[in-house]
Amino acid sequence: MSLSPAFLDELRARTLLSALVGKTLKLTKKGREFAACCPFHSEKTPSFYVNDEKGFYHCFGCGAHGDAIRWMTDQRGLPFIEAVKELAQAAGMELPAPDAREAARAERAKSLHDVMAAAAAWFEEQYAGLSGNAARAYVEKRGISEKARKAFGLGYAPDSKSALRRALDRFGDAMLVEAGLLIEVEGKEPYDRFRDRLMIPIRDPRGRVIAFGGRIIGQGEPKYLNSPDTPLFDKGRTLYNLDRAAPAARKAGRMIVVEGYMDVIALARAGIEEAVAPLGTALTEHQIERLWRQVDAPLLCFDGDAAGQKAAFRAATRALPGLAPGRSLAFLTLPAGQDPDDLVKSGGRAAFEALAVAPEPLVDRLWNHEGAAEPLATPEQRAGLRKRLNELVAAIADPDVRQQYQAEFRARFETQFLQRPALARPFARGPFRPGQRWEPPRPTSAEAKTVGSSGIERVLVKGVVAGLLRFPDMLTRHAEALHSLSFGDPLVARLIDSLIDLALDEQALDTERLHTILRASEFDALARDLLRADSLRFSFTRKDADPDRARADLGEAIQVMIERPEIEAALQAATENLKRSLDEDALSEQQRLLEMRVEIDRRLANLMQDDEGAN
């Protein structure tokens, strides 16, 4: 069926978006728009708006945005063509006539839906009959209540090669074969595919049965048998329980992916309705894309054994090409030897939620997996790790996300193997706060000293020295870092050296004792000038400043003095490298360092502006 842009525009124009959305959400009139709490993420204050004039909805909290068709696909979970059909019917519009082949295909699909619905009903009848004793015993053993069994439509296929064929003979063998219910072998009568199995209906997003999974009741292989691909069912594009999980995920703000049918049912028994499962195969790119239509970062909860972790990593690598800002995966690793069913049986919902509090981000899963892939004792083995990480990064299509992963892996590699913390790391640490365990700043490199002699702002230098005169207890904390810096003013440099020596000699050096010593030294005039430096606008240069805040800000200022020349030196080297090679890695490194320089300038500005606002 060919849907022209003109047809779709007319369909949107005829659809009153507020009326459509209002069927699901309680909308409140706000001027020309309507407001509600967003259905795509949890919130208490409305940030979701519907604009009928412009024909779109937008959430200022999570960024969800779309028109009437997008609402049907994202909020209702319908395929695009089904969304268009439903809206067209409501708007009184005729869909463009399909060609003869499409019409025949649509008619056949409608008939196949009838076949699958009839099969599901028949399987439930058998479950309730005499032949279903073993199936009922198995369901009871698994702890599945009758209410849960009905909700998931579990049934039973008797141990017979022709029982289903006879029961549904009104549809004919050809249609039963096409639906995947019979197996056809040349020269023989078709026979039932599912025999002596607990039958688990697989539904499309609209809740229609499109396939079955069968769990063997007695002995035999395979343990689970799925329907083959049919005109209704594409195993690699279908997620079990998506019809029930999609609305639950919108309320919970998350979607959980587990390995199999029984895991989904077990979590639902524990009150966790937002779980889906692939169908006996590794999670595919199409299934991941479908998950991303529901939530930004689905939680993959696979078994803790080797097979489960292998499946999780395979899903991680398949997700890489589709990563985008705000779109990722996260991982929950179960205790060894347990699956979700075991976990909630022993500890209930609380046991699962305890794991879900801190899921493992995708970047950690990739790093940890590759780091554990082989020993890393030799340079060659570490080079192998770097190569594997670079190959993973290369698979990411979005350039911004790719750059971020590249920078993150580089920083981790340098921190772990080169014994030199990455330049980006200090930003995560933040300023020293009272009660926090202090960590000394790292020594300044020779290259940074060269830049530092002229690159450290004079105002910052004067402010820090004034702060140290007011709070001499900070001298020993930062002695090594201060010793390593080169100052433009020789007198200031000698003063710093003398202050550090004095602080190290006198363990309980206080402000009064320090000032008494300075008055009898060559630094008397300089010290008095610095102590009058209220105009410098730092908290640690003011007499009336809160001591705890002043010490914290002074520590931050010293850290800025250390980091800025490091960044300038690295930026200079990266720029030279870029001029020589025009390499993408060099460009990425230069961009990263430029961003870091902006950040260091912001921190310096905050030290002055925050203080000004406190007056």
Side-chain angles (χ1 to χ4, degrees):
M1 181 183 302
S2 177
L3 299 174
S4 67
F7 175 84
L8 296 176
D9 287 344
E10 178 67 16
L11 178 61
R12 295 183 184 101
R14 289 199 194 185
T15 302
L16 186 64
L17 188 58
S18 61
L20 178 66
V21 174
K23 294 178 182 178
T24 305
L25 297 183
K26 182 180 179 181
L27 297 175
T28 302
K29 185 73 171 173
K30 297 278 188 180
R32 295 184 176 183
E33 298 179 323
F34 295 87
C37 287
C38 181
F40 299 106
H41 79 288
S42 299
E43 64 175 6
K44 295 181 180 179
T45 303
S47 61
F48 180 86
Y49 285 81
V50 177
N51 189 312
D52 281 328
E53 292 180 13
K54 297 179 180 178
F56 66 74
Y57 60 84
H58 183 81
C59 176
F60 292 94
C62 69
H65 181 92
D67 57 15
I69 300 173
R70 185 70 177 267
W71 174 261
M72 299 293 280
T73 58
D74 287 6
Q75 201 277 334
R76 290 274 304 278
L78 297 180
F80 175 81
I81 193 64
E82 296 298 332
V84 171
K85 285 180 179 178
E86 193 164 319
L87 290 173
Q89 184 177 7
M93 293 177 64
E94 290 288 336
L95 288 173
D99 60 34
R101 266 183 295 182
E102 274 197 48
R105 210 163 30 236
E107 188 61 33
R108 189 167 69 251
K110 181 180 178 182
S111 299
L112 288 176
H113 280 302
D114 294 336
V115 171
M116 300 307 284
W122 187 78
F123 288 138
E124 287 203 67
E125 289 174 9
Q126 307 315 299
Y127 177 90
L130 291 176
S131 64
N133 285 335
R136 292 195 296 273
Y138 175 79
V139 167
E140 185 177 352
K141 179 182 176 182
R142 295 297 298 248
I144 301 172
S145 67
E146 179 62 11
K147 181 180 178 181
R149 184 203 69 78
K150 286 183 177 179
F152 285 94
L154 305 186
Y156 175 66
D159 191 7
S160 167
K161 285 192 171 185
S162 59
L164 175 69
R165 183 188 178 202
R166 291 195 306 270
L168 302 185
D169 61 358
R170 64 187 183 276
F171 293 103
D173 286 351
M175 188 163 286
L176 295 175
V177 169
E178 189 174 21
L181 296 171
L182 298 185
I183 296 176
E184 188 174 39
V185 179
E186 189 175 351
K188 296 183 179 180
E189 290 286 311
Y191 59 91
D192 293 359
R193 179 180 297 275
F194 299 101
R195 303 182 300 280
D196 193 26
R197 291 181 179 270
L198 181 72
M199 297 303 291
I200 306 163
I202 300 167
R203 297 184 171 92
D204 66 11
R206 296 177 65 178
R208 299 174 298 184
V209 177
I210 56 174
F212 292 95
R215 206 285 183 191
I216 196 76
I217 297 295
Q219 298 298 315
E221 291 293 337
K223 182 190 291 187
Y224 284 94
L225 177 66
N226 290 325
S227 293
D229 283 356
T230 71
L232 299 183
F233 177 54
D234 184 334
K235 186 185 300 184
R237 295 175 182 268
T238 305
L239 289 163
Y240 174 66
N241 197 46
L242 184 61
D243 60 309
R244 291 165 48 86
R250 286 189 283 276
K251 292 181 181 179
R254 69 181 184 186
M255 181 164 278
I256 301 158
V257 184
V258 291
E259 289 192 53
Y261 308 108
M262 291 302 171
D263 296 328
V264 168
I265 296 171
L267 290 181
R269 282 199 331 267
I272 301 169
E273 302 276 354
E274 61 275 14
V276 297
L279 298 161
T281 61
L283 203 62
T284 68
E285 292 86 345
H286 297 297
Q287 289 168 330
I288 294 170
E289 190 65 40
R290 176 153 278 190
L291 289 166
W292 278 332
R293 293 181 201 169
Q294 308 297 326
V295 295
D296 289 340
L299 298 178
L300 272 56
C301 179
F302 291 171
D303 296 354
D305 59 16
Q309 294 309 293
K310 183 177 180 181
F313 182 71
R314 190 180 300 122
T317 57
R318 287 182 172 174
L320 291 176
L323 297 183
R327 197 163 86 161
S328 188
L329 297 178
F331 298 82
L332 304 178
T333 300
L334 295 169
Q338 287 195 330
D339 58 25
D341 194 5
D342 300 322
L343 185 67
V344 295
K345 274 182 181 175
S346 60
R349 177 171 186 164
F352 184 88
E353 296 295 356
L355 278 180
V357 166
E360 181 184 29
L362 174 59
V363 65
D364 289 350
R365 173 55 58 109
L366 296 172
W367 171 264
N368 293 334
H369 181 276
E370 294 300 348
E374 64 175 38
L376 299 171
T378 69
E380 294 82 4
Q381 290 167 340
R382 293 192 289 274
L385 170 61
R386 191 164 219 164
K387 180 182 179 183
R388 294 194 300 275
L389 293 173
N390 287 337
E391 288 171 351
L392 291 174
V393 169
I396 301 173
D398 184 280
D400 293 330
V401 176
R402 184 172 63 247
Q403 181 179 334
Q404 290 299 317
Y405 269 77
Q406 190 176 51
E408 180 68 21
F409 285 151
R410 182 190 298 114
R412 293 187 186 203
F413 192 91
E414 290 177 356
T415 300
Q416 184 163 336
F417 299 113
L418 302 184
Q419 302 302 315
R420 177 178 180 272
L423 288 170
R425 286 321 200 202
F427 296 134
R429 184 167 64 244
F432 171 77
R433 300 296 177 200
Q436 172 183 333
R437 189 174 75 83
W438 178 76
E439 298 179 14
R442 54 185 171 82
T444 306
S445 68
E447 294 85 354
K449 290 179 184 179
T450 304
V451 177
S453 62
S454 59
I456 299 175
E457 288 76 6
R458 292 175 59 84
V459 172
L460 179 59
V461 171
K462 290 178 65 176
V464 165
V465 178
L468 291 171
L469 291 172
R470 292 188 185 281
F471 302 100
D473 56 301
M474 298 288 283
L475 283 162
T476 53
R477 291 183 178 181
H478 298 279
E480 183 179 2
L482 292 167
H483 255 319
S484 68
L485 288 171
S486 298
F487 296 92
D489 187 328
L491 185 59
V492 171
R494 290 205 310 275
L495 173 59
I496 290 291
D497 288 343
S498 299
L499 290 176
I500 293 170
D501 292 342
L502 188 59
L504 292 174
D505 288 342
E506 300 195 19
Q507 295 299 314
L509 182 65
D510 59 23
T511 307
E512 185 175 351
R513 168 68 175 156
L514 174 61
H515 293 178
T516 299
I517 295 172
L518 287 174
R519 276 195 292 271
S521 73
E522 63 173 313
F523 306 113
D524 180 40
L526 176 59
R528 280 189 282 110
D529 180 55
L530 290 170
L531 287 170
R532 288 196 297 267
D534 278 307
S535 61
L536 294 176
R537 296 187 296 151
F538 295 109
S539 63
F540 43 83
T541 63
R542 289 204 333 263
K543 295 177 183 178
D544 60 345
D546 174 70
D548 286 340
R549 183 193 167 185
R551 284 183 171 88
D553 287 351
L554 179 56
E556 170 75 346
I558 293 171
Q559 192 64 42
V560 168
M561 289 176 67
I562 297 298
E563 292 171 17
R564 177 161 183 137
E566 286 281 1
I567 293 170
E568 292 289 351
L571 180 58
Q572 184 176 326
T575 302
E576 291 301 319
N577 186 40
L578 180 60
K579 289 177 182 177
R580 289 193 302 270
S581 65
L582 292 178
D583 179 66
E584 184 177 344
D585 286 349
L587 179 61
S588 172
E589 178 68 4
Q590 187 201 42
Q591 183 62 36
R592 182 176 75 95
L593 291 165
L594 285 169
E595 291 171 359
M596 292 172 66
R597 185 169 67 180
V598 170
E599 170 67 10
I600 207 82
D601 289 344
R602 183 194 64 77
R603 287 167 61 190
L604 175 58
N606 284 346
L607 283 170
M608 303 177 75
Q609 292 170 2
D610 287 351
D611 177 65
E612 190 175 43
N615 283 327

